[in-house]
Every structure is written in structure tokens, then in C-alpha cells.
Amino acid sequence: MVRNQHRLLLLLKVKCSMVLNDNKGAIGVFDSGYGGLTILSQFAKLLPEYDYIYLGDNARAPYGNRSFDVVYEFTLQAVRRLFEMGCPLVILGCNTASAKALRTIQQCDLPKLDASRRVLGIIRPTVEVLGDITRNGHVGIFATEGTVQSQSYSIELKRMYPGMKVTAETCSMWVPLIENREYESEGADYFVRKNIEHILSKDPQIDTFVLGCTHYPLLLEKIKKYTPQGITIVSQGEIVANSLRTYLLQHPEMENRCIKNGSRIFYTTESAEKFSDSAKIFLKDEVEAHRLMLS
Ligand code: DGL
């Protein structure tokens, strides 16, 4: 009953905004859970004038060890929902979804759903800047099992910078530690140290670590603690925000469709209270979330 009322209200809100704003809407940001908030917080810092709708599929997180088909299906459901809410542009603030679902959505689904809208990922913009960051061409990627298996980072990096040596490390426990708020615990020390030692045993010359999962900035203090001096740690928020700014400058037809009232709306597939509580940690700000179901 309450859910139906909420859906009805949402529908009315979306319909009204469509009547009032034609084909305009907020920028959608999607992640499996809380991780995309590290991207949204940088959007809000660099491009505060835009409206944003955040959708976290917390009920089904983590995505990291799910199959290609499942990540694609869940991501498509989220993109559809954000389109229904009027978003002309959706950013997949999730490496796993960018690695496993983005291409199929862009090539197969978007033309059928609405060819005038756009869905963008976060792997390409991250890869683009790495050539200027690494000094010796040895790059280490920390990511979920899904992102590592997809080889998206290696493929993109080698295409853009032939000769670069890319070593990926699956950090299966990092997202569960964060989603369960254990990222400051001794358990977190154990797993962070283990993965750092392991990646360096595979390539001791690595001079750049990429946090290839949007959750990982929450573990930054631990990661710094076990990273040898001289290795640069790259996290994605600022990079992706700069890339969005460039995209909007280069695409005025899309920029004109993005509403600029500075509003932020948060949706989660899990409990709204739980989301609001945890989102504070990521955004350092109070957040009022709403629950929705994806199907
Ligand atoms: N935050 C996501 C990423 O960037 C995925 C975390 C997960 O659901 O496993 O990969």
C-alpha cells in the first residue's frame, strides 16, 4: 500500500517534471550500493548546479562476484528506472556495471529505449588520465572479481597505451567490509595488506595503484598505510567529475537537457533509513533516501 502510494507519487512527480521541462531531467548516478556516492560527491563539488538522482541497488549488492548476465540485467533495470524518472543522462558510478553492462546497454538497449539519451561509464575516463600519472608504465588495478575478469582495464589501457604493464588484483573482501561498515576494523587491515602485498609480488615495479571500484576510497587510509612510498594512489571521483564536465561542455544538446536546481534525490532498493545512515559517511552530509524496487 505504502509502496504503491510512493510509486504513484513518483510517477506524478516524473510526469509533472516532463510536462514542465519537456525532455529535461536530473543526471542519474547508479551503483550497486554506496560506492557511487564517492563519485556523486565529486560531481556535487565540481558541478553543484545540476540536479542528481542517485540509485543504489543495496538490496542486491555486491555485484562484484555476480555473472555477466546478472550484472547486465540488474544494471539495465536501474537505467530504465532512471530514464522513467526523466534522466537524460545516466552515469554508471560502478566499475563492475561499467565493465559488464555498459557496452551492451549502449549498443543494444539504448537505440530501443531512447536513442537521444546517454549512459556513460567510469572506466574509460579513468584509463585516459593514467598515461600522465604513471612514470614507468607499470600500473596496478584493485577491483572486484567481475571487473578483473572482464579485463576491461587491461584492454582499454593497452589499447590507449601499448607497452603499458597492467596487473590486476581481485579484492573480494573490500566491498563487503565497506558495505558492512567494517572498513576501519583490524579485519580491513588484514585484507588490504594482503592484497597490496600480493599485487606487488606479481609486479614489484608498479608505480601507480588504481582504486578500480568506487567503494574503495573508504579504505584509503588503510591502503595508504600499506602502500610503499613512491607509489601513486589514484581514486576515480575527481577524474570522473572532470570528465563529466568536459562531456557536458562538448555536448551542449545534452547539457541543455540537464536541470540545474542543485537538487539531490536518493533511492535505494534496501531500507531507506539504513541508506541515509550510511550515506552520511560517504557524503559527509545528511541524506533523505527513498526505497524503490527494481524489476
Ligand atoms: N562499487 C562497485 C564498483 O565500482 C561495485 C561493488 C560491488 O557491488 O561489488 O565496482
Side-chain angles (χ1 to χ4, degrees):
M1 180 70 178
V2 174
R3 192 192 309 155
N4 281 344
Q5 277 177 350
H6 180 63
R7 275 200 163 170
L8 200 67
L9 265 172
L10 192 72
L11 211 68
L12 276 171
K13 229 159 102 184
V14 170
K15 286 248 156 72
C16 284
S17 92
M18 282 163 98
V19 171
L20 292 172
N21 297 300
D22 286 332
N23 58 1
K24 295 188 178 196
I27 298 172
V29 182
F30 168 68
D31 182 46
S32 61
Y34 300 114
L37 294 172
T38 62
I39 300 291
L40 178 69
S41 67
Q42 294 299 321
F43 287 172
K45 213 165 164 185
L46 192 70
L47 304 161
E49 65 275 30
Y50 294 97
D51 288 15
Y52 297 95
I53 297 180
Y54 184 88
L55 172 53
D57 191 7
N58 300 76
R60 302 188 293 193
Y63 278 12
N65 48 3
R66 291 188 184 274
S67 68
F68 262 86
D69 287 353
V70 170
V71 172
Y72 161 65
E73 201 181 300
F74 288 178
T75 306
L76 182 59
Q77 289 170 2
V79 167
R80 273 213 197 97
R81 184 58 70 89
L82 288 164
F83 280 0
E84 281 165 20
M85 293 180 194
C87 300
L89 173 65
V90 172
I91 313 293
L92 302 184
C94 173
N95 291 269
T96 312
S98 300
K100 290 186 160 186
L102 179 65
R103 185 165 301 189
T104 315
I105 290 177
Q106 283 176 334
Q107 292 177 356
C108 305
D109 299 295
L110 209 50
K112 288 182 260 164
L113 289 171
D114 183 344
S116 77
R117 303 195 198 210
R118 289 289 171 268
V119 181
L120 303 176
I122 58 174
I123 293 181
R124 174 74 65 87
T126 308
V127 163
E128 275 169 2
V129 300
L130 287 174
D132 292 331
I133 297 174
T134 175
R135 299 171 304 279
N136 66 5
H138 289 249
V139 172
I141 315 284
F142 294 115
T144 65
E145 187 185 318
T147 303
V148 172
Q149 267 175 5
S150 74
Q151 296 189 32
S152 301
Y153 272 98
S154 311
I155 294 167
E156 293 279 346
L157 272 165
K158 285 183 177 160
R159 187 180 298 146
M160 217 168 280
Y161 310 106
M164 197 176 261
K165 178 155 172 48
V166 185
T167 306
E169 173 78 1
T170 300
C171 305
S172 310
M173 290 305 293
W174 292 15
V175 171
L177 282 165
I178 294 159
E179 288 279 321
N180 293 297
R181 293 221 205 161
E182 289 288 340
Y183 56 91
E184 282 172 336
S185 68
E186 283 176 21
D189 277 276
Y190 172 80
F191 286 107
V192 167
R193 183 177 180 176
K194 184 175 163 189
N195 286 119
I196 289 177
E197 285 178 357
H198 193 235
I199 199 170
L200 288 172
S201 74
K202 292 187 275 186
D203 179 6
Q205 290 187 64
I206 290 173
D207 77 349
T208 306
F209 279 158
V210 179
L211 307 189
C213 170
T214 53
H215 281 68
Y216 296 171
L218 264 272
L219 283 168
L220 191 58
E221 286 316 307
K222 303 271 185 218
I223 296 168
K224 279 184 186 159
K225 184 168 160 191
Y226 297 108
T227 296
Q229 270 199 345
I231 296 180
T232 308
I233 301 168
V234 177
S235 70
Q236 295 175 291
E238 221 178 302
I239 295 169
V240 176
N242 278 319
S243 158
L244 176 61
R245 181 171 58 181
T246 307
Y247 176 85
L248 292 171
L249 282 170
Q250 289 172 347
H251 296 84
E253 75 295 347
M254 177 56 74
E255 202 279 333
N256 284 331
R257 292 178 66 182
C258 298
I259 299 179
K260 295 179 217 46
N261 288 325
S263 87
R264 285 97 181 84
I265 303 178
F266 297 86
Y267 291 98
T268 173
T269 53
E270 243 291 346
S271 133
E273 292 71 34
K274 205 169 147 191
F275 185 92
S276 301
D277 209 31
S278 294
K280 269 194 298 212
I281 305 167
F282 284 79
L283 294 174
K284 302 188 174 49
D285 207 356
E286 292 295 327
V287 159
E288 195 201 326
H290 311 276
R291 185 168 184 222
L292 59 70
M293 305 291 268
L294 286 176
S295 60

